[in-house]
Amino acid sequence: MATSPKQKPGKSGTNSKQTSPKVASDAAHVLNDPKATPDEKSAAASALAQARPS
């Protein structure tokens, strides 16, 4: 049976890093690009999920 990795004390397990506004804008363009691949769209969606709400 595998065990999950232990978190450091005081860490909630959430990522406090956020996507910059420039990267978020680029990601939005990728999502609107009909020629973007599913992998590109997945990465763009992930970046937007980590962006600050405006």
mmCIF file of all heavy atoms in Angstrom:
data_model
loop_
_atom_site.group_PDB
_atom_site.id
_atom_site.type_symbol
_atom_site.label_atom_id
_atom_site.label_comp_id
_atom_site.label_asym_id
_atom_site.label_seq_id
_atom_site.Cartn_x
_atom_site.Cartn_y
_atom_site.Cartn_z
ATOM 1 N N MET A 1 0.847 -1.177 0.000
ATOM 2 C CA MET A 1 0.000 0.000 0.000
ATOM 3 C C MET A 1 0.894 1.242 0.000
ATOM 4 O O MET A 1 1.795 1.369 0.799
ATOM 5 C CB MET A 1 -0.895 -0.014 1.245
ATOM 6 C CG MET A 1 -1.844 1.133 1.271
ATOM 7 S SD MET A 1 -2.846 1.308 2.763
ATOM 8 C CE MET A 1 -3.517 -0.291 3.008
ATOM 9 N N ALA A 2 0.650 2.159 -0.904
ATOM 10 C CA ALA A 2 1.446 3.378 -1.001
ATOM 11 C C ALA A 2 0.943 4.412 -0.003
ATOM 12 O O ALA A 2 -0.246 4.485 0.285
ATOM 13 C CB ALA A 2 1.355 3.940 -2.413
ATOM 14 N N THR A 3 1.866 5.190 0.498
ATOM 15 C CA THR A 3 1.484 6.266 1.412
ATOM 16 C C THR A 3 1.663 7.592 0.696
ATOM 17 O O THR A 3 2.507 7.730 -0.185
ATOM 18 C CB THR A 3 2.340 6.255 2.692
ATOM 19 O OG1 THR A 3 3.717 6.387 2.312
ATOM 20 C CG2 THR A 3 2.147 4.962 3.459
ATOM 21 N N SER A 4 0.856 8.562 1.075
ATOM 22 C CA SER A 4 0.970 9.873 0.446
ATOM 23 C C SER A 4 2.133 10.640 1.064
ATOM 24 O O SER A 4 2.477 10.431 2.223
ATOM 25 C CB SER A 4 -0.332 10.647 0.615
ATOM 26 O OG SER A 4 -0.592 10.851 1.981
ATOM 27 N N PRO A 5 2.763 11.533 0.280
ATOM 28 C CA PRO A 5 3.874 12.318 0.823
ATOM 29 C C PRO A 5 3.391 13.227 1.943
ATOM 30 O O PRO A 5 2.279 13.753 1.897
ATOM 31 C CB PRO A 5 4.375 13.123 -0.371
ATOM 32 C CG PRO A 5 3.377 12.974 -1.446
ATOM 33 C CD PRO A 5 2.486 11.830 -1.096
ATOM 34 N N LYS A 6 4.235 13.379 2.935
ATOM 35 C CA LYS A 6 3.863 14.232 4.067
ATOM 36 C C LYS A 6 4.118 15.684 3.727
ATOM 37 O O LYS A 6 5.094 16.026 3.077
ATOM 38 C CB LYS A 6 4.681 13.850 5.305
ATOM 39 C CG LYS A 6 4.328 12.479 5.824
ATOM 40 C CD LYS A 6 5.075 12.176 7.099
ATOM 41 C CE LYS A 6 4.687 10.804 7.605
ATOM 42 N NZ LYS A 6 5.397 10.444 8.823
ATOM 43 N N GLN A 7 3.203 16.551 4.180
ATOM 44 C CA GLN A 7 3.367 17.979 3.978
ATOM 45 C C GLN A 7 4.201 18.544 5.111
ATOM 46 O O GLN A 7 4.226 18.011 6.217
ATOM 47 C CB GLN A 7 2.014 18.674 3.955
ATOM 48 C CG GLN A 7 1.180 18.300 2.767
ATOM 49 C CD GLN A 7 -0.165 19.003 2.804
ATOM 50 O OE1 GLN A 7 -0.469 19.730 3.741
ATOM 51 N NE2 GLN A 7 -0.962 18.781 1.797
ATOM 52 N N LYS A 8 4.881 19.630 4.838
ATOM 53 C CA LYS A 8 5.646 20.310 5.868
ATOM 54 C C LYS A 8 4.687 20.943 6.865
ATOM 55 O O LYS A 8 3.599 21.397 6.488
ATOM 56 C CB LYS A 8 6.535 21.386 5.245
ATOM 57 C CG LYS A 8 7.627 20.811 4.367
ATOM 58 C CD LYS A 8 8.479 21.909 3.801
ATOM 59 C CE LYS A 8 9.545 21.327 2.896
ATOM 60 N NZ LYS A 8 10.359 22.363 2.279
ATOM 61 N N PRO A 9 5.056 20.983 8.129
ATOM 62 C CA PRO A 9 4.174 21.611 9.124
ATOM 63 C C PRO A 9 3.873 23.063 8.743
ATOM 64 O O PRO A 9 4.741 23.784 8.270
ATOM 65 C CB PRO A 9 4.999 21.552 10.411
ATOM 66 C CG PRO A 9 5.988 20.463 10.182
ATOM 67 C CD PRO A 9 6.257 20.443 8.709
ATOM 68 N N GLY A 10 2.640 23.466 8.937
ATOM 69 C CA GLY A 10 2.242 24.836 8.648
ATOM 70 C C GLY A 10 1.825 25.064 7.206
ATOM 71 O O GLY A 10 1.402 26.140 6.852
ATOM 72 N N LYS A 11 1.970 24.079 6.372
ATOM 73 C CA LYS A 11 1.569 24.215 4.971
ATOM 74 C C LYS A 11 0.165 23.670 4.787
ATOM 75 O O LYS A 11 -0.160 22.600 5.269
ATOM 76 C CB LYS A 11 2.532 23.449 4.047
ATOM 77 C CG LYS A 11 3.935 23.975 4.047
ATOM 78 C CD LYS A 11 4.014 25.217 3.216
ATOM 79 C CE LYS A 11 5.453 25.698 3.132
ATOM 80 N NZ LYS A 11 5.585 26.825 2.261
ATOM 81 N N SER A 12 -0.668 24.404 4.082
ATOM 82 C CA SER A 12 -2.043 23.954 3.881
ATOM 83 C C SER A 12 -2.200 23.093 2.640
ATOM 84 O O SER A 12 -3.267 22.563 2.386
ATOM 85 C CB SER A 12 -2.974 25.165 3.781
ATOM 86 O OG SER A 12 -2.640 25.911 2.627
ATOM 87 N N GLY A 13 -1.143 22.973 1.839
ATOM 88 C CA GLY A 13 -1.227 22.179 0.632
ATOM 89 C C GLY A 13 -1.720 22.955 -0.565
ATOM 90 O O GLY A 13 -1.927 22.403 -1.626
ATOM 91 N N THR A 14 -1.906 24.263 -0.419
ATOM 92 C CA THR A 14 -2.339 25.073 -1.547
ATOM 93 C C THR A 14 -1.148 25.826 -2.130
ATOM 94 O O THR A 14 -0.187 26.131 -1.431
ATOM 95 C CB THR A 14 -3.428 26.082 -1.133
ATOM 96 O OG1 THR A 14 -2.897 26.933 -0.130
ATOM 97 C CG2 THR A 14 -4.664 25.380 -0.623
ATOM 98 N N ASN A 15 -1.244 26.134 -3.401
ATOM 99 C CA ASN A 15 -0.192 26.862 -4.094
ATOM 100 C C ASN A 15 -0.498 28.350 -3.997
ATOM 101 O O ASN A 15 -1.541 28.799 -4.471
ATOM 102 C CB ASN A 15 -0.149 26.400 -5.554
ATOM 103 C CG ASN A 15 0.963 27.055 -6.337
ATOM 104 O OD1 ASN A 15 1.674 27.914 -5.840
ATOM 105 N ND2 ASN A 15 1.112 26.652 -7.579
ATOM 106 N N SER A 16 0.402 29.118 -3.415
ATOM 107 C CA SER A 16 0.155 30.548 -3.253
ATOM 108 C C SER A 16 0.621 31.348 -4.466
ATOM 109 O O SER A 16 0.395 32.547 -4.532
ATOM 110 C CB SER A 16 0.854 31.064 -2.000
ATOM 111 O OG SER A 16 2.257 30.922 -2.128
ATOM 112 N N LYS A 17 1.271 30.709 -5.426
ATOM 113 C CA LYS A 17 1.738 31.413 -6.615
ATOM 114 C C LYS A 17 0.561 31.690 -7.539
ATOM 115 O O LYS A 17 -0.388 30.922 -7.610
ATOM 116 C CB LYS A 17 2.783 30.582 -7.351
ATOM 117 C CG LYS A 17 4.048 30.396 -6.547
ATOM 118 C CD LYS A 17 5.051 29.591 -7.313
ATOM 119 C CE LYS A 17 6.288 29.382 -6.470
ATOM 120 N NZ LYS A 17 7.271 28.559 -7.185
ATOM 121 N N GLN A 18 0.631 32.816 -8.239
ATOM 122 C CA GLN A 18 -0.447 33.189 -9.141
ATOM 123 C C GLN A 18 0.108 33.541 -10.504
ATOM 124 O O GLN A 18 1.220 34.040 -10.633
ATOM 125 C CB GLN A 18 -1.231 34.366 -8.570
ATOM 126 C CG GLN A 18 -1.965 34.008 -7.304
ATOM 127 C CD GLN A 18 -2.818 35.138 -6.797
ATOM 128 O OE1 GLN A 18 -2.531 36.293 -7.037
ATOM 129 N NE2 GLN A 18 -3.877 34.795 -6.089
ATOM 130 N N THR A 19 -0.690 33.310 -11.514
ATOM 131 C CA THR A 19 -0.322 33.619 -12.883
ATOM 132 C C THR A 19 -0.320 35.128 -13.076
ATOM 133 O O THR A 19 -1.218 35.829 -12.624
ATOM 134 C CB THR A 19 -1.341 32.974 -13.848
ATOM 135 O OG1 THR A 19 -1.329 31.572 -13.631
ATOM 136 C CG2 THR A 19 -1.003 33.263 -15.284
ATOM 137 N N SER A 20 0.709 35.631 -13.780
ATOM 138 C CA SER A 20 0.793 37.068 -14.038
ATOM 139 C C SER A 20 -0.293 37.498 -15.019
ATOM 140 O O SER A 20 -0.815 36.685 -15.793
ATOM 141 C CB SER A 20 2.165 37.407 -14.628
ATOM 142 O OG SER A 20 2.268 36.910 -15.954
ATOM 143 N N PRO A 21 -0.641 38.777 -15.000
ATOM 144 C CA PRO A 21 -1.660 39.261 -15.943
ATOM 145 C C PRO A 21 -1.273 39.016 -17.406
ATOM 146 O O PRO A 21 -2.133 38.706 -18.229
ATOM 147 C CB PRO A 21 -1.751 40.758 -15.639
ATOM 148 C CG PRO A 21 -1.335 40.864 -14.205
ATOM 149 C CD PRO A 21 -0.268 39.812 -14.038
ATOM 150 N N LYS A 22 -0.005 39.127 -17.749
ATOM 151 C CA LYS A 22 0.447 38.901 -19.128
ATOM 152 C C LYS A 22 0.217 37.447 -19.536
ATOM 153 O O LYS A 22 -0.296 37.166 -20.623
ATOM 154 C CB LYS A 22 1.936 39.269 -19.251
ATOM 155 C CG LYS A 22 2.612 38.789 -20.512
ATOM 156 C CD LYS A 22 2.240 39.607 -21.727
ATOM 157 C CE LYS A 22 3.121 39.264 -22.917
ATOM 158 N NZ LYS A 22 2.475 38.531 -23.960
ATOM 159 N N VAL A 23 0.599 36.519 -18.662
ATOM 160 C CA VAL A 23 0.417 35.103 -18.965
ATOM 161 C C VAL A 23 -1.065 34.767 -19.026
ATOM 162 O O VAL A 23 -1.502 33.990 -19.890
ATOM 163 C CB VAL A 23 1.163 34.215 -17.940
ATOM 164 C CG1 VAL A 23 0.841 32.748 -18.134
ATOM 165 C CG2 VAL A 23 2.666 34.447 -18.050
ATOM 166 N N ALA A 24 -1.849 35.355 -18.155
ATOM 167 C CA ALA A 24 -3.291 35.116 -18.173
ATOM 168 C C ALA A 24 -3.894 35.609 -19.487
ATOM 169 O O ALA A 24 -4.762 34.945 -20.070
ATOM 170 C CB ALA A 24 -3.956 35.804 -16.992
ATOM 171 N N SER A 25 -3.444 36.747 -19.969
ATOM 172 C CA SER A 25 -3.935 37.271 -21.238
ATOM 173 C C SER A 25 -3.560 36.342 -22.391
ATOM 174 O O SER A 25 -4.387 36.048 -23.267
ATOM 175 C CB SER A 25 -3.350 38.665 -21.482
ATOM 176 O OG SER A 25 -3.737 39.160 -22.740
ATOM 177 N N ASP A 26 -2.312 35.874 -22.390
ATOM 178 C CA ASP A 26 -1.874 34.933 -23.425
ATOM 179 C C ASP A 26 -2.694 33.644 -23.368
ATOM 180 O O ASP A 26 -3.078 33.090 -24.405
ATOM 181 C CB ASP A 26 -0.390 34.613 -23.267
ATOM 182 C CG ASP A 26 0.516 35.796 -23.590
ATOM 183 O OD1 ASP A 26 0.032 36.775 -24.198
ATOM 184 O OD2 ASP A 26 1.707 35.725 -23.225
ATOM 185 N N ALA A 27 -2.983 33.179 -22.166
ATOM 186 C CA ALA A 27 -3.764 31.950 -21.997
ATOM 187 C C ALA A 27 -5.179 32.137 -22.540
ATOM 188 O O ALA A 27 -5.736 31.236 -23.168
ATOM 189 C CB ALA A 27 -3.811 31.558 -20.524
ATOM 190 N N ALA A 28 -5.751 33.299 -22.325
ATOM 191 C CA ALA A 28 -7.090 33.573 -22.843
ATOM 192 C C ALA A 28 -7.102 33.527 -24.369
ATOM 193 O O ALA A 28 -8.043 33.013 -24.975
ATOM 194 C CB ALA A 28 -7.576 34.931 -22.346
ATOM 195 N N HIS A 29 -6.032 34.040 -24.986
ATOM 196 C CA HIS A 29 -5.939 33.984 -26.440
ATOM 197 C C HIS A 29 -5.839 32.545 -26.933
ATOM 198 O O HIS A 29 -6.431 32.191 -27.956
ATOM 199 C CB HIS A 29 -4.747 34.810 -26.934
ATOM 200 C CG HIS A 29 -4.973 36.279 -26.866
ATOM 201 N ND1 HIS A 29 -4.344 37.100 -25.954
ATOM 202 C CD2 HIS A 29 -5.790 37.084 -27.584
ATOM 203 C CE1 HIS A 29 -4.758 38.330 -26.111
ATOM 204 N NE2 HIS A 29 -5.644 38.359 -27.098
ATOM 205 N N VAL A 30 -5.101 31.723 -26.209
ATOM 206 C CA VAL A 30 -4.980 30.309 -26.591
ATOM 207 C C VAL A 30 -6.348 29.640 -26.531
ATOM 208 O O VAL A 30 -6.724 28.878 -27.430
ATOM 209 C CB VAL A 30 -3.968 29.568 -25.693
ATOM 210 C CG1 VAL A 30 -4.023 28.065 -25.913
ATOM 211 C CG2 VAL A 30 -2.557 30.079 -25.948
ATOM 212 N N LEU A 31 -7.107 29.900 -25.479
ATOM 213 C CA LEU A 31 -8.423 29.279 -25.347
ATOM 214 C C LEU A 31 -9.374 29.704 -26.457
ATOM 215 O O LEU A 31 -10.274 28.952 -26.827
ATOM 216 C CB LEU A 31 -9.031 29.606 -23.980
ATOM 217 C CG LEU A 31 -8.366 28.910 -22.794
ATOM 218 C CD1 LEU A 31 -9.001 29.388 -21.495
ATOM 219 C CD2 LEU A 31 -8.470 27.410 -22.914
ATOM 220 N N ASN A 32 -9.182 30.891 -26.994
ATOM 221 C CA ASN A 32 -10.042 31.383 -28.075
ATOM 222 C C ASN A 32 -9.526 31.014 -29.461
ATOM 223 O O ASN A 32 -10.179 31.322 -30.457
ATOM 224 C CB ASN A 32 -10.195 32.903 -27.975
ATOM 225 C CG ASN A 32 -11.086 33.304 -26.829
ATOM 226 O OD1 ASN A 32 -12.132 32.710 -26.630
ATOM 227 N ND2 ASN A 32 -10.663 34.295 -26.063
ATOM 228 N N ASP A 33 -8.368 30.365 -29.529
ATOM 229 C CA ASP A 33 -7.770 29.987 -30.807
ATOM 230 C C ASP A 33 -8.322 28.641 -31.263
ATOM 231 O O ASP A 33 -8.082 27.619 -30.622
ATOM 232 C CB ASP A 33 -6.252 29.901 -30.648
ATOM 233 C CG ASP A 33 -5.532 29.569 -31.939
ATOM 234 O OD1 ASP A 33 -6.200 29.333 -32.969
ATOM 235 O OD2 ASP A 33 -4.297 29.541 -31.919
ATOM 236 N N PRO A 34 -9.059 28.621 -32.371
ATOM 237 C CA PRO A 34 -9.623 27.345 -32.827
ATOM 238 C C PRO A 34 -8.553 26.340 -33.273
ATOM 239 O O PRO A 34 -8.834 25.146 -33.363
ATOM 240 C CB PRO A 34 -10.529 27.747 -33.998
ATOM 241 C CG PRO A 34 -10.074 29.091 -34.412
ATOM 242 C CD PRO A 34 -9.437 29.735 -33.218
ATOM 243 N N LYS A 35 -7.350 26.807 -33.543
ATOM 244 C CA LYS A 35 -6.273 25.912 -33.980
ATOM 245 C C LYS A 35 -5.448 25.360 -32.804
ATOM 246 O O LYS A 35 -4.573 24.535 -32.998
ATOM 247 C CB LYS A 35 -5.341 26.631 -34.947
ATOM 248 C CG LYS A 35 -6.014 26.999 -36.259
ATOM 249 C CD LYS A 35 -5.052 27.684 -37.194
ATOM 250 C CE LYS A 35 -5.745 28.064 -38.494
ATOM 251 N NZ LYS A 35 -4.828 28.754 -39.412
ATOM 252 N N ALA A 36 -5.715 25.825 -31.588
ATOM 253 C CA ALA A 36 -4.967 25.357 -30.415
ATOM 254 C C ALA A 36 -5.294 23.894 -30.138
ATOM 255 O O ALA A 36 -6.442 23.460 -30.282
ATOM 256 C CB ALA A 36 -5.300 26.215 -29.201
ATOM 257 N N THR A 37 -4.276 23.146 -29.751
ATOM 258 C CA THR A 37 -4.469 21.727 -29.453
ATOM 259 C C THR A 37 -5.131 21.559 -28.087
ATOM 260 O O THR A 37 -5.102 22.484 -27.257
ATOM 261 C CB THR A 37 -3.120 20.985 -29.445
ATOM 262 O OG1 THR A 37 -2.345 21.459 -28.331
ATOM 263 C CG2 THR A 37 -2.356 21.184 -30.738
ATOM 264 N N PRO A 38 -5.694 20.401 -27.823
ATOM 265 C CA PRO A 38 -6.281 20.154 -26.499
ATOM 266 C C PRO A 38 -5.246 20.325 -25.369
ATOM 267 O O PRO A 38 -5.591 20.840 -24.302
ATOM 268 C CB PRO A 38 -6.774 18.714 -26.585
ATOM 269 C CG PRO A 38 -7.085 18.525 -28.035
ATOM 270 C CD PRO A 38 -6.016 19.308 -28.758
ATOM 271 N N ASP A 39 -4.000 19.925 -25.603
ATOM 272 C CA ASP A 39 -2.969 20.092 -24.574
ATOM 273 C C ASP A 39 -2.678 21.573 -24.323
ATOM 274 O O ASP A 39 -2.484 21.991 -23.179
ATOM 275 C CB ASP A 39 -1.682 19.377 -24.972
ATOM 276 C CG ASP A 39 -1.772 17.870 -24.817
ATOM 277 O OD1 ASP A 39 -2.670 17.388 -24.083
ATOM 278 O OD2 ASP A 39 -0.943 17.171 -25.430
ATOM 279 N N GLU A 40 -2.640 22.366 -25.380
ATOM 280 C CA GLU A 40 -2.415 23.806 -25.221
ATOM 281 C C GLU A 40 -3.566 24.441 -24.455
ATOM 282 O O GLU A 40 -3.349 25.271 -23.564
ATOM 283 C CB GLU A 40 -2.269 24.479 -26.585
ATOM 284 C CG GLU A 40 -0.982 24.131 -27.303
ATOM 285 C CD GLU A 40 -0.937 24.616 -28.740
ATOM 286 O OE1 GLU A 40 -2.000 24.695 -29.389
ATOM 287 O OE2 GLU A 40 0.174 24.899 -29.217
ATOM 288 N N LYS A 41 -4.774 24.026 -24.790
ATOM 289 C CA LYS A 41 -5.948 24.580 -24.099
ATOM 290 C C LYS A 41 -5.981 24.155 -22.632
ATOM 291 O O LYS A 41 -6.364 24.935 -21.760
ATOM 292 C CB LYS A 41 -7.231 24.178 -24.813
ATOM 293 C CG LYS A 41 -7.389 24.894 -26.138
ATOM 294 C CD LYS A 41 -8.730 24.645 -26.764
ATOM 295 C CE LYS A 41 -8.872 25.472 -28.036
ATOM 296 N NZ LYS A 41 -10.219 25.533 -28.528
ATOM 297 N N SER A 42 -5.546 22.945 -22.353
ATOM 298 C CA SER A 42 -5.500 22.471 -20.974
ATOM 299 C C SER A 42 -4.507 23.286 -20.152
ATOM 300 O O SER A 42 -4.792 23.683 -19.021
ATOM 301 C CB SER A 42 -5.127 20.986 -20.950
ATOM 302 O OG SER A 42 -5.016 20.532 -19.623
ATOM 303 N N ALA A 43 -3.333 23.534 -20.727
ATOM 304 C CA ALA A 43 -2.322 24.329 -20.027
ATOM 305 C C ALA A 43 -2.809 25.760 -19.825
ATOM 306 O O ALA A 43 -2.598 26.356 -18.755
ATOM 307 C CB ALA A 43 -1.011 24.317 -20.806
ATOM 308 N N ALA A 44 -3.475 26.314 -20.831
ATOM 309 C CA ALA A 44 -3.993 27.676 -20.723
ATOM 310 C C ALA A 44 -5.072 27.763 -19.646
ATOM 311 O O ALA A 44 -5.105 28.710 -18.858
ATOM 312 C CB ALA A 44 -4.549 28.132 -22.072
ATOM 313 N N ALA A 45 -5.933 26.774 -19.600
ATOM 314 C CA ALA A 45 -6.987 26.764 -18.581
ATOM 315 C C ALA A 45 -6.384 26.666 -17.183
ATOM 316 O O ALA A 45 -6.858 27.320 -16.247
ATOM 317 C CB ALA A 45 -7.941 25.607 -18.830
ATOM 318 N N SER A 46 -5.342 25.876 -17.051
ATOM 319 C CA SER A 46 -4.676 25.751 -15.758
ATOM 320 C C SER A 46 -4.075 27.088 -15.337
ATOM 321 O O SER A 46 -4.176 27.489 -14.180
ATOM 322 C CB SER A 46 -3.583 24.682 -15.840
ATOM 323 O OG SER A 46 -2.897 24.573 -14.630
ATOM 324 N N ALA A 47 -3.455 27.776 -16.283
ATOM 325 C CA ALA A 47 -2.866 29.082 -15.973
ATOM 326 C C ALA A 47 -3.945 30.068 -15.541
ATOM 327 O O ALA A 47 -3.766 30.814 -14.577
ATOM 328 C CB ALA A 47 -2.108 29.608 -17.182
ATOM 329 N N LEU A 48 -5.072 30.058 -16.228
ATOM 330 C CA LEU A 48 -6.148 30.991 -15.864
ATOM 331 C C LEU A 48 -6.765 30.634 -14.509
ATOM 332 O O LEU A 48 -7.182 31.533 -13.772
ATOM 333 C CB LEU A 48 -7.228 30.994 -16.937
ATOM 334 C CG LEU A 48 -6.883 31.773 -18.211
ATOM 335 C CD1 LEU A 48 -8.013 31.673 -19.207
ATOM 336 C CD2 LEU A 48 -6.592 33.220 -17.885
ATOM 337 N N ALA A 49 -6.789 29.372 -14.186
ATOM 338 C CA ALA A 49 -7.333 28.965 -12.888
ATOM 339 C C ALA A 49 -6.479 29.498 -11.742
ATOM 340 O O ALA A 49 -6.966 29.663 -10.622
ATOM 341 C CB ALA A 49 -7.440 27.458 -12.810
ATOM 342 N N GLN A 50 -5.213 29.775 -12.027
ATOM 343 C CA GLN A 50 -4.299 30.277 -11.003
ATOM 344 C C GLN A 50 -4.126 31.791 -11.062
ATOM 345 O O GLN A 50 -3.322 32.358 -10.327
ATOM 346 C CB GLN A 50 -2.933 29.611 -11.150
ATOM 347 C CG GLN A 50 -2.989 28.110 -10.932
ATOM 348 C CD GLN A 50 -1.663 27.453 -11.205
ATOM 349 O OE1 GLN A 50 -0.636 27.910 -10.731
ATOM 350 N NE2 GLN A 50 -1.692 26.374 -11.958
ATOM 351 N N ALA A 51 -4.883 32.456 -11.920
ATOM 352 C CA ALA A 51 -4.770 33.900 -12.072
ATOM 353 C C ALA A 51 -5.586 34.613 -11.000
ATOM 354 O O ALA A 51 -6.564 34.067 -10.480
ATOM 355 C CB ALA A 51 -5.252 34.319 -13.454
ATOM 356 N N ARG A 52 -5.186 35.819 -10.700
ATOM 357 C CA ARG A 52 -5.942 36.630 -9.751
ATOM 358 C C ARG A 52 -7.260 37.047 -10.378
ATOM 359 O O ARG A 52 -7.298 37.423 -11.551
ATOM 360 C CB ARG A 52 -5.169 37.911 -9.424
ATOM 361 C CG ARG A 52 -4.016 37.705 -8.547
ATOM 362 C CD ARG A 52 -3.408 39.038 -8.169
ATOM 363 N NE ARG A 52 -2.159 38.753 -7.485
ATOM 364 C CZ ARG A 52 -1.109 39.522 -7.527
ATOM 365 N NH1 ARG A 52 -1.134 40.649 -8.198
ATOM 366 N NH2 ARG A 52 -0.023 39.190 -6.890
ATOM 367 N N PRO A 53 -8.319 37.018 -9.622
ATOM 368 C CA PRO A 53 -9.593 37.517 -10.171
ATOM 369 C C PRO A 53 -9.493 39.004 -10.425
ATOM 370 O O PRO A 53 -8.845 39.740 -9.678
ATOM 371 C CB PRO A 53 -10.607 37.243 -9.059
ATOM 372 C CG PRO A 53 -9.916 36.431 -8.038
ATOM 373 C CD PRO A 53 -8.456 36.518 -8.274
ATOM 374 N N SER A 54 -10.108 39.460 -11.487
ATOM 375 C CA SER A 54 -10.036 40.898 -11.797
ATOM 376 C C SER A 54 -11.292 41.622 -11.388
ATOM 377 O O SER A 54 -12.296 41.076 -11.076
ATOM 378 C CB SER A 54 -9.798 41.103 -13.280
ATOM 379 O OG SER A 54 -10.776 40.456 -14.053
#
